[in-house]
Amino acid sequence: MSGQTVPADFSGHMLDLDEDEDLEVFSKNTSLADGSPMPNSPSSMVNQYRLEEDEEEQQDANAKDIFVTVDNPESHVTAIETFIMYRVLTKTTRSEFDSSEYEVRRRYQDFLWLRSRLEENHPTLIVHPLPEKFVMKGMVERFNDDFIETRRRALHRFLNKISEHPILSCSQHFRVFLTAQELTSHKKQGPGFLSRMGETVRAVANSVRGLRSRPEEFTTMQEYVEDFSNKVCSVDKVTQRIIKEQREYLDEMRQYGPTYTQWAGSEEELAEPLKGVAGCVERCSKETEEQIHHLSEVLVPALHEYVLCAETLKAVMRRRDNIQAEFEAKNEALASRKVDQEALQEEVDALADRVELANNALKGDWSRWQSSMRTDLRSAFISTAEKNVEYYEKCLAVWESFLLSQRAEPSEQRDGEERLIPVMVGHHTSRHCDPNDQTYECLHNLHVHGQKFPLDSSSCCSSCCSSETLPLLWMENRMVAPSLMIVR
Amino acid sequence: MMADSGSSEEVAVIGNTDLTSTESENNIINTMVEKGTSLLRKMEINVAEAEKRTGKNTVNMQETYTVYLIETRPAETVPEGGTPAAPDTLWRRYSEFELLRTYLLVTYPYIIIPPLPEKRAEFVWHKLSADNLDPDFVERRRVGLENFLLRVASHSVLSNDEIFYRFLTEEKGWREMVLETGFQDKADSRLKSLSAMFRVKNPDKRFTALKHYSDELNTVISQLLRVRARVADRMYGVYKVHGNYGRVFSEWSAIEKEMGDGLQSAGHHMDTYAASIDDILEEEEHYADQLKEYLFYTDAVRSVCRKHELIQYELEMAAQDLAHKKQQKEELATGTVRVFSLKGMTSKLFGQESQEQRESRLAALEQSIQEGEEAVKEKNTECQEFVRTAWEDIERFKEQKDKDLREALISYAIMQISMCKKGIQVWSNAKECFNKIQKERTTDPRRRALSRASKAPWRRHWSDPTRKNAPAHRHTRPPDPPETSKPVNCPV
């Protein structure tokens, strides 16, 4: 994969660049520090949770000189239709922009326009996908708040992905999109509907004809794209299923609390612990709800994006194949016909160049895309794992505090031998208890470390329990019956 | 109204029942033993094993059933380095336990008899089978049976029962012995009385309140068990679906170079996570069993209340009967007919009866009244005794219930904590694996070439002469890279 040399003319062909200045911009922007991961774009949802880390990485990595945000969705009502307009804010130091700040309003159609122009001009570059037009599943109402917010985030990511792309971010269409107050005039320029139709027809014709020989690396790429598409779709499905199961679990859990509370109503001594358990269950339900929310907000959109990316990749591969097919067709014609060879030769040469450029563009963009994919999905997975850890930590704390509350009562005790020793709530650690070995496990922050303390130790794990936090009592190692033994 | 096991020389040997024990805090014995009955001081009781047997049943058909091994052993402390004595053992099947319990119910109607574990699995969530021969069910039942025996053995009254003792010690002939006590007749009449409809005029408020409480407890625990089963089902689903991550990540790792290791190992942790639910839910079954025990206890409480009602009713009937007779006597004595009677009518119609007839009737009535008074006195004593002994047991039961259920709630909390800890572990591990993605150095030669050739300018050492200027911050453009290599893409 020739990531190493970028012939200047190649860039000239591929970009709608007018001045050399843009070339500079392009080449400088892309030289990222080697070895460091792709900077997490500030736009990705995930990174909003990890901003501090980003700062550091950003220092090292590419000096970003354009920042785009999409926000402030507003409903726009006209006589014919109702649609949402989003505010697109740009801050940049790039010289091809007249000013350093821009604010425009765009609707979804405008994004579609931008993307199709980018794809047209760079058929074998990987242009980040847009959120879908509408969601079939669940019949989400178009102007439902959640839907709008989800779409806004996706649009924000889209623009940021474009602005990070070394070639695409220099596109004049991109610039126009970010800066022009009125897009409609710009939309009319460029290859018309008919020429686009013509291209499609040619593409179909070529695909019917079939390729002579696809270079091996692209075949490998194609296979990868197929597999990747399958895997990402599977992960997406699994995640959706998990959310569904979690929701059902949450629904059932929500009945626990009221039942314990109801029981507490007919008890005297037991009322307090029962209410305690009810409280714990309710708090855990809340945490579960949050965890589900996080899953939907972070992992699902990330996976979904790459499901769409997979489709984009397939389209890119198809387009590349078409370019090659077109060349092959003309080349064959050249070989067979005797008439007007010179003119045809020129055409064939041009097409051959086009093939080479297309291939190089794709090769160049390919590894960039892969790296970007890894970064994004890694972030999303890490965030999910972190959230799950947090979820369990919070639930742990809830139940621990319940345990402490149960031991904090100086209640009726056997022979008044209750001992007050500052220590961790624990439980017996062995199944077939040796009466002489009474060790307790430090429960607090056990995921960090678990230490054992002998029964009469008066010191405790000082690193994880500060004396100001809780009054702690020994949890006596009492068993109700061998059969009711708590097994650890 | 003590047990029919009256013959108590042998029972007396077992000793007095000392309710308070001075248990050393460092002894790990169950709280029932702490309360200490002499039976338990004398012997250890275990239900050690379960086995399948086949045999002919009462209708001469082959059936498979499970028998349980009861071990008893003298509870002496074992000398240093010595081995504990071999236990005495015998086998019992569930129906024999049932027989024992019915006997106890009939013989000690004022005692809240501990319940047996359920005959058939109820409140199951889908993964648990409702099959009686399923090994998990059998195991839990074994534990429940042991619990039952220990509860009986630790009861100050029940532990002295001869039949119970023989149940633990004599395999053959026990059944005949029980039947010989003739408790079956009482059992039948008890059943009848329990289902009879009658109204007590002056119900004892305490018993009424207890019955209400028992009903409430029954309702709420049933509901709790139902919810728990549904929650367990759902939790099972959540955890198991994560197993799919394991599978997909593994497949995915095969097509990735840099991501491969991270994905694969993360996938393993997902498998671990999915598998962990089995243990978690199995532990929760213990909690459910503890709740079930008290669910079944409510039936026992209810039947004590019912028995009291019956006795009360019988007392009221006897008193009523006596009052009626007294009234008759009075009428006969004074000659006034306040109450309609056939005799009265006929004597009105056909003339007064003779003096002799009257006197004999009076005498008969006197006799009857005396008997009636005896009966009332007896019933009264019975009632009072019942109330006294029952209430004693009820207080004991309340304390036991509060303590046990509190422990159960605590152990539930501990289970939740354990579950959370496992979750923290798994997801922390998974996070580490995800972290490895991208940070890995690969052996991709292209990448190494790239990294050599295209050092970004600000990576060069400050003394490097080709370094033009340092990149200050993100808003300035980085200086030109050297001519030879202009990487288009970011390092892989």
Side-chain angles (χ1 to χ4, degrees), chain A residues 426-441 452 477 479 482 485-488, chain B residues 28:
Chain A
H427 50 267
H428 205 274
T429 51
S430 55
R431 180 185 191 140
H432 299 291
C433 338
D434 170 9
N436 299 319
D437 168 32
Q438 300 215 326
T439 53
Y440 290 77
E441 246 178 8
K452 294 190 179 166
N477 176 34
M479 313 282 194
M485 190 154 56
I486 301 153
V487 175
R488 285 290 163 266
Chain B
I28 303 152

Tab-separated table of all heavy atoms in Angstrom, chain A residues 426-441 452 477 479 482 485-488, chain B residues 28:
chain	number	residue	atom	x	y	z
A	426	GLY	N	-17.347	-7.974	56.126
A	426	GLY	CA	-16.847	-9.105	55.338
A	426	GLY	C	-17.690	-10.322	55.575
A	426	GLY	O	-18.737	-10.268	56.188
A	427	HIS	N	-17.225	-11.352	55.084
A	427	HIS	CA	-17.934	-12.589	55.326
A	427	HIS	C	-16.924	-13.713	55.347
A	427	HIS	O	-15.801	-13.564	54.915
A	427	HIS	CB	-18.963	-12.841	54.216
A	427	HIS	CG	-18.369	-12.703	52.865
A	427	HIS	ND1	-18.391	-11.534	52.163
A	427	HIS	CD2	-17.692	-13.580	52.094
A	427	HIS	CE1	-17.768	-11.706	51.011
A	427	HIS	NE2	-17.334	-12.939	50.933
A	428	HIS	N	-17.386	-14.787	55.853
A	428	HIS	CA	-16.452	-15.879	56.018
A	428	HIS	C	-16.012	-16.420	54.674
A	428	HIS	O	-16.768	-16.434	53.738
A	428	HIS	CB	-17.097	-16.983	56.836
A	428	HIS	CG	-16.082	-17.812	57.539
A	428	HIS	ND1	-15.480	-18.877	56.946
A	428	HIS	CD2	-15.529	-17.691	58.749
A	428	HIS	CE1	-14.608	-19.400	57.795
A	428	HIS	NE2	-14.618	-18.713	58.879
A	429	THR	N	-14.813	-16.832	54.623
A	429	THR	CA	-14.284	-17.159	53.302
A	429	THR	C	-14.178	-18.629	52.985
A	429	THR	O	-13.862	-18.983	51.870
A	429	THR	CB	-12.877	-16.574	53.125
A	429	THR	OG1	-12.095	-16.973	54.247
A	429	THR	CG2	-12.953	-15.075	53.076
A	430	SER	N	-14.407	-19.463	53.923
A	430	SER	CA	-14.266	-20.863	53.500
A	430	SER	C	-15.547	-21.629	53.761
A	430	SER	O	-16.350	-21.272	54.605
A	430	SER	CB	-13.101	-21.525	54.216
A	430	SER	OG	-13.283	-21.392	55.603
A	431	ARG	N	-15.745	-22.618	53.012
A	431	ARG	CA	-16.993	-23.353	53.084
A	431	ARG	C	-17.029	-24.250	54.311
A	431	ARG	O	-17.942	-24.209	55.101
A	431	ARG	CB	-17.178	-24.188	51.827
A	431	ARG	CG	-18.464	-24.937	51.935
A	431	ARG	CD	-18.726	-25.881	50.827
A	431	ARG	NE	-20.121	-26.295	50.965
A	431	ARG	CZ	-20.960	-26.456	49.965
A	431	ARG	NH1	-20.567	-26.240	48.764
A	431	ARG	NH2	-22.193	-26.822	50.180
A	432	HIS	N	-16.092	-25.099	54.413
A	432	HIS	CA	-16.065	-25.981	55.581
A	432	HIS	C	-15.195	-25.302	56.614
A	432	HIS	O	-13.984	-25.462	56.627
A	432	HIS	CB	-15.488	-27.341	55.187
A	432	HIS	CG	-16.345	-27.976	54.132
A	432	HIS	ND1	-17.602	-28.416	54.400
A	432	HIS	CD2	-16.136	-28.174	52.823
A	432	HIS	CE1	-18.130	-28.898	53.286
A	432	HIS	NE2	-17.267	-28.765	52.319
A	433	CYS	N	-15.873	-24.491	57.390
A	433	CYS	CA	-15.132	-23.592	58.256
A	433	CYS	C	-14.362	-24.314	59.325
A	433	CYS	O	-14.858	-25.180	59.997
A	433	CYS	CB	-16.102	-22.627	58.917
A	433	CYS	SG	-17.600	-22.472	58.000
A	434	ASP	N	-13.189	-23.899	59.439
A	434	ASP	CA	-12.382	-24.332	60.562
A	434	ASP	C	-12.638	-23.327	61.671
A	434	ASP	O	-12.404	-22.137	61.494
A	434	ASP	CB	-10.917	-24.321	60.123
A	434	ASP	CG	-9.972	-24.515	61.285
A	434	ASP	OD1	-10.455	-24.823	62.394
A	434	ASP	OD2	-8.769	-24.361	61.078
A	435	PRO	N	-13.112	-23.785	62.797
A	435	PRO	CA	-13.476	-22.841	63.855
A	435	PRO	C	-12.333	-21.922	64.259
A	435	PRO	O	-12.555	-20.840	64.751
A	435	PRO	CB	-13.844	-23.739	65.031
A	435	PRO	CG	-14.072	-25.076	64.457
A	435	PRO	CD	-13.326	-25.175	63.171
A	436	ASN	N	-11.122	-22.367	64.016
A	436	ASN	CA	-10.012	-21.544	64.468
A	436	ASN	C	-9.553	-20.539	63.427
A	436	ASN	O	-8.787	-19.643	63.709
A	436	ASN	CB	-8.818	-22.443	64.837
A	436	ASN	CG	-9.209	-23.380	65.960
A	436	ASN	OD1	-9.886	-22.976	66.891
A	436	ASN	ND2	-8.832	-24.641	65.836
A	437	ASP	N	-10.028	-20.725	62.236
A	437	ASP	CA	-9.593	-19.796	61.196
A	437	ASP	C	-10.757	-18.901	60.814
A	437	ASP	O	-11.580	-19.264	60.010
A	437	ASP	CB	-9.107	-20.581	59.969
A	437	ASP	CG	-8.935	-19.671	58.780
A	437	ASP	OD1	-8.583	-18.497	58.982
A	437	ASP	OD2	-9.158	-20.133	57.656
A	438	GLN	N	-10.792	-17.779	61.432
A	438	GLN	CA	-11.883	-16.881	61.087
A	438	GLN	C	-11.314	-15.691	60.359
A	438	GLN	O	-10.844	-14.743	60.964
A	438	GLN	CB	-12.596	-16.426	62.352
A	438	GLN	CG	-13.159	-17.612	63.103
A	438	GLN	CD	-14.452	-17.272	63.758
A	438	GLN	OE1	-14.630	-16.156	64.187
A	438	GLN	NE2	-15.342	-18.242	63.839
A	439	THR	N	-11.336	-15.808	59.082
A	439	THR	CA	-10.817	-14.675	58.321
A	439	THR	C	-11.953	-14.036	57.548
A	439	THR	O	-12.895	-14.687	57.157
A	439	THR	CB	-9.733	-15.133	57.331
A	439	THR	OG1	-10.262	-16.192	56.553
A	439	THR	CG2	-8.493	-15.576	58.055
A	440	TYR	N	-11.822	-12.807	57.368
A	440	TYR	CA	-12.846	-12.053	56.682
A	440	TYR	C	-12.242	-11.353	55.483
A	440	TYR	O	-11.103	-10.944	55.504
A	440	TYR	CB	-13.450	-11.006	57.617
A	440	TYR	CG	-14.271	-11.643	58.691
A	440	TYR	CD1	-13.661	-12.240	59.779
A	440	TYR	CD2	-15.653	-11.691	58.590
A	440	TYR	CE1	-14.417	-12.846	60.753
A	440	TYR	CE2	-16.407	-12.298	59.565
A	440	TYR	CZ	-15.787	-12.875	60.640
A	440	TYR	OH	-16.533	-13.481	61.597
A	441	GLU	N	-13.042	-11.221	54.505
A	441	GLU	CA	-12.548	-10.574	53.306
A	441	GLU	C	-12.905	-9.107	53.332
A	441	GLU	O	-14.005	-8.747	53.722
A	441	GLU	CB	-13.202	-11.204	52.080
A	441	GLU	CG	-12.219	-11.923	51.218
A	441	GLU	CD	-12.919	-12.563	50.037
A	441	GLU	OE1	-14.107	-12.319	49.831
A	441	GLU	OE2	-12.240	-13.308	49.357
A	452	LYS	N	-7.415	-10.190	53.459
A	452	LYS	CA	-8.059	-10.923	54.529
A	452	LYS	C	-7.528	-10.472	55.871
A	452	LYS	O	-6.362	-10.131	56.016
A	452	LYS	CB	-7.788	-12.416	54.355
A	452	LYS	CG	-8.443	-12.957	53.112
A	452	LYS	CD	-8.386	-14.447	53.067
A	452	LYS	CE	-9.088	-14.887	51.808
A	452	LYS	NZ	-8.856	-16.229	51.467
A	477	ASN	N	-19.505	-13.798	62.186
A	477	ASN	CA	-19.611	-14.955	61.337
A	477	ASN	C	-20.608	-15.913	61.937
A	477	ASN	O	-20.248	-16.846	62.613
A	477	ASN	CB	-18.233	-15.597	61.204
A	477	ASN	CG	-18.335	-16.850	60.412
A	477	ASN	OD1	-19.125	-16.939	59.512
A	477	ASN	ND2	-17.541	-17.816	60.769
A	479	MET	N	-23.791	-18.449	61.354
A	479	MET	CA	-24.548	-19.202	60.370
A	479	MET	C	-25.893	-19.537	60.973
A	479	MET	O	-26.001	-19.847	62.140
A	479	MET	CB	-23.826	-20.508	60.038
A	479	MET	CG	-22.372	-20.326	59.780
A	479	MET	SD	-22.087	-19.678	58.157
A	479	MET	CE	-20.369	-19.988	58.032
A	482	PRO	N	-26.418	-25.102	58.983
A	482	PRO	CA	-25.471	-25.550	57.952
A	482	PRO	C	-26.110	-25.504	56.581
A	482	PRO	O	-25.485	-25.201	55.599
A	482	PRO	CB	-25.140	-26.985	58.369
A	482	PRO	CG	-25.421	-27.025	59.812
A	482	PRO	CD	-26.521	-26.063	60.076
A	485	MET	N	-26.110	-22.104	55.025
A	485	MET	CA	-24.800	-21.483	55.077
A	485	MET	C	-24.538	-20.657	53.843
A	485	MET	O	-24.909	-21.023	52.747
A	485	MET	CB	-23.778	-22.602	55.184
A	485	MET	CG	-22.385	-22.154	55.479
A	485	MET	SD	-21.491	-23.467	56.291
A	485	MET	CE	-21.672	-24.762	55.112
A	486	ILE	N	-23.885	-19.561	54.063
A	486	ILE	CA	-23.499	-18.737	52.934
A	486	ILE	C	-22.202	-19.299	52.402
A	486	ILE	O	-21.194	-19.308	53.066
A	486	ILE	CB	-23.277	-17.288	53.390
A	486	ILE	CG1	-24.565	-16.757	54.005
A	486	ILE	CG2	-22.843	-16.442	52.226
A	486	ILE	CD1	-24.324	-15.686	55.001
A	487	VAL	N	-22.243	-19.763	51.212
A	487	VAL	CA	-21.064	-20.416	50.661
A	487	VAL	C	-20.244	-19.419	49.875
A	487	VAL	O	-20.755	-18.715	49.043
A	487	VAL	CB	-21.494	-21.556	49.715
A	487	VAL	CG1	-20.289	-22.166	49.027
A	487	VAL	CG2	-22.246	-22.592	50.509
A	488	ARG	N	-18.990	-19.395	50.173
A	488	ARG	CA	-18.109	-18.495	49.401
A	488	ARG	C	-16.966	-19.317	48.868
A	488	ARG	O	-16.215	-19.848	49.615
A	488	ARG	CB	-17.532	-17.399	50.295
A	488	ARG	CG	-18.534	-16.351	50.634
A	488	ARG	CD	-18.880	-15.504	49.413
A	488	ARG	NE	-20.110	-14.780	49.641
A	488	ARG	CZ	-21.293	-15.207	49.274
A	488	ARG	NH1	-21.424	-16.324	48.645
A	488	ARG	NH2	-22.367	-14.523	49.529
B	28	ILE	N	-18.593	-22.299	65.419
B	28	ILE	CA	-19.428	-22.140	64.261
B	28	ILE	C	-20.449	-23.254	64.240
B	28	ILE	O	-20.270	-24.291	63.663
B	28	ILE	CB	-18.587	-22.209	62.985
B	28	ILE	CG1	-17.511	-21.124	63.071
B	28	ILE	CG2	-19.449	-21.960	61.788
B	28	ILE	CD1	-16.308	-21.468	62.324
